[in-house]
Amino acid sequence: MDWINSIVQGVLLGGLYALFAAGLSLIFGVMRLVNIAHGDFIVLAAYLGLTVATTVGLHPLVALIIVIPVMGLIGYVLQRGVLNHTLGDDILPPLLVTFGLSVILQNGLLEIYSADPQKMNAGALETASLTLPGNLNIGWLPLLMFAVSVATIAGLQWLFYRSALGRAFRATSDNQDIAQLMGLNKAHVFGLAMALSLAVVAIAGLFLGIRTSFDPSAGPGRLIFGFEAVIIGGLGNLWGTLAGGIILGISQNIGAQLNPGWQLLAGHLAFLLVLAFRPRGLFPRIDG
C-alpha cells in the first residue's frame, strides 16, 4: 500500500506541476518564447494571493477572483511594453530580458516581503482527506489541485483549437507575416497570449502558496519543474504537459519512497531519460 500511495500522491502532485508548466507551454507554442522569469511570476502570484487574503480577509482560493485578472493585466502590459520588442529570429534577446525580469522580481519581492518563508492558510481544506479502501488516504487539497489542473488544461485546449482567439494564436504562431496581412495584430495577439499564460500562473501560484511555504528565491525551482514537465510531455502539447507533470510527480514520489534524499534526483533522472531517448517528448504536438 505504501507504493500505491506513493504513485497516487505522485499523480496528484503532477497536477500542480502541470499548472506550473501550462503557461510555459502556451507561450512557447504561440511565440516560441522561453520565459526564464516564469517561476518568479508563480511566486509573485503567491505573494499577491497572500496579500489579498490577509488584507481583505478572503480565503486564498477566493482571492483568485482578484489575483487572476491582476496577473493577466501584468502579462499583457509586459508583453506589449517590453517583450514584443525583443522577439525576432534571434532567441537570445528574449532570454536575456526574461532573465533580467527574474532578477528584478526576486529582488523586488525580497525588498517588499523579506526573505522569511510565507504560507497561506486555507483552513480545514489543508488537512481534510478522503479515506479509500485499503486504508488509502487522499487529501482533498491535492484532489482539488488535480481537478483544477485538468479543467485548466481542458479549457486551454478548447480555447486553442475551438475558438476564434485560438485560431488567431495558431495563425500567428504558424506565420506572423501572413497573419498580419490577414488583419491580425500580432502585438495584440502576443499580449493576449502572455495575459492568458499569467492567468494560469495565478492559479498555480495560489495552490503553491497553500500547499507549501515559499520565499522570493523559490521561482527558479518552480521553473525547472515546469520546464521538465513541458519537455517530458512534448513541446506545444497541452495534454502532454499534464502527462509530463504526472510522470515527474510519480518519479519524485517513488524516489522519496526509496530514499527521502532521492526525491528531486528521481524527477531529474526521469527528465534526463526522456530527453535522451525522446528529445521531442513522449507526446509530440498534435493539431486537435
Side-chain angles (χ1 to χ4, degrees), residues 40 43 47 106 215-221:
D40 299 291
V43 176
Y47 274 112
Q106 288 185 43
D215 59 70
S217 65

Side-chain angles (χ1 to χ4, degrees), residues 41 44 48 69-79 194-195 198:
F41 280 115
L44 172 63
L48 287 177
V70 169
M71 290 298 293
L73 180 61
I74 290 173
Y76 186 84
V77 171
L78 176 67
Q79 187 66 42
M194 183 59 79
L198 290 199

Side-chain angles (χ1 to χ4, degrees), residues 193-206:
M194 183 59 79
L196 187 59
S197 172
L198 290 199
V200 176
V201 159
I203 301 173
L206 265 291

Side-chain angles (χ1 to χ4, degrees), residues 40 43 47 106 109 114-118 213-219 222:
D40 299 291
V43 176
Y47 274 112
Q106 288 185 43
L109 292 173
S114 81
D116 296 334
Q118 305 284 346
S213 60
F214 57 94
D215 59 70
S217 65
R222 312 289 81 76

